């Protein structure tokens, strides 16, 4: 199994303030997750597109961190559980004024019915 140093890079900066794939495709998300190795920002599994998990499957980067204000946790897809991790390069979360769900102007009125259970 990999060590923390193989799967978490504290110096990797976030790829942006929103889900990279959702922003590129004019889509929306509920919550954001940050790859702890490369900094890719993807949407959570409750979001319609599950881009953070897709990033794990495409790259093999197994540990994510929350990218939500006030949340400080890491999750390892390999063990399906929460793990400890170091402080990552700033910013630690999307801007507090960014709406949840987001991004502004992309979220449909019936967004709650479109979430994954």
């Amino acid at each position: 199994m990999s060590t923390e140093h193989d799967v978490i890079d504290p110096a990797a900066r976030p790829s942006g303030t929103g889900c990279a794939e959702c922003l590129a495709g004019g889509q929306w998300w509920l919550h954001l997750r940050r790859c702890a190795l490369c900094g890719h920002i993807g949407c959570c599994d409750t979001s319609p597109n599950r881009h953070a998990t897709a990033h794990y499957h495409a790259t093999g980067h197994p540990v994510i961190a929350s990218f939500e204000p006030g949340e400080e946790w890491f999750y390892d897809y390999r063990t399906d559980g929460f793990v400890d991790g170091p402080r990552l390069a700033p910013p630690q979360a999307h801007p507090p004024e960014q709406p949840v769900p987001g991004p502004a102007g992309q979220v449909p009125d019936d967004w709650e019915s479109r979430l994954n259970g």
Side-chain angles (χ1 to χ4, degrees), residues 51-90:
H51 287 126
T53 296
H55 176 76
Y56 161 60
H57 289 298
T59 64
H61 299 171
V63 178
I64 57 171
S66 176
F67 200 59
E68 293 295 320
E71 295 184 2
E72 295 183 16
W73 53 260
F74 290 84
Y75 177 85
D76 190 328
Y77 286 106
R78 299 167 301 179
T79 62
D80 192 26
F82 293 96
V83 295
D84 291 328
R87 184 126 177 112
L88 300 176

Side-chain angles (χ1 to χ4, degrees), residues 96-109:
E97 64 274 7
Q98 183 173 306
V100 175
Q106 293 293 338
V107 182
D109 291 338

Side-chain angles (χ1 to χ4, degrees), residues 19-22 27-33 40-58 64 77 114-117:
C19 176
E21 291 83 6
C22 285
Q27 300 162 334
W28 62 277
W29 60 79
L30 179 60
H31 295 295
L32 297 172
R33 308 296 180 233
H40 173 271
I41 302 299
C43 54
C44 71
D45 282 353
T46 306
S47 299
N49 296 296
R50 301 175 174 171
H51 287 126
T53 296
H55 176 76
Y56 161 60
H57 289 298
I64 57 171
Y77 286 106
R114 298 179 186 215
L115 296 174
N116 294 309

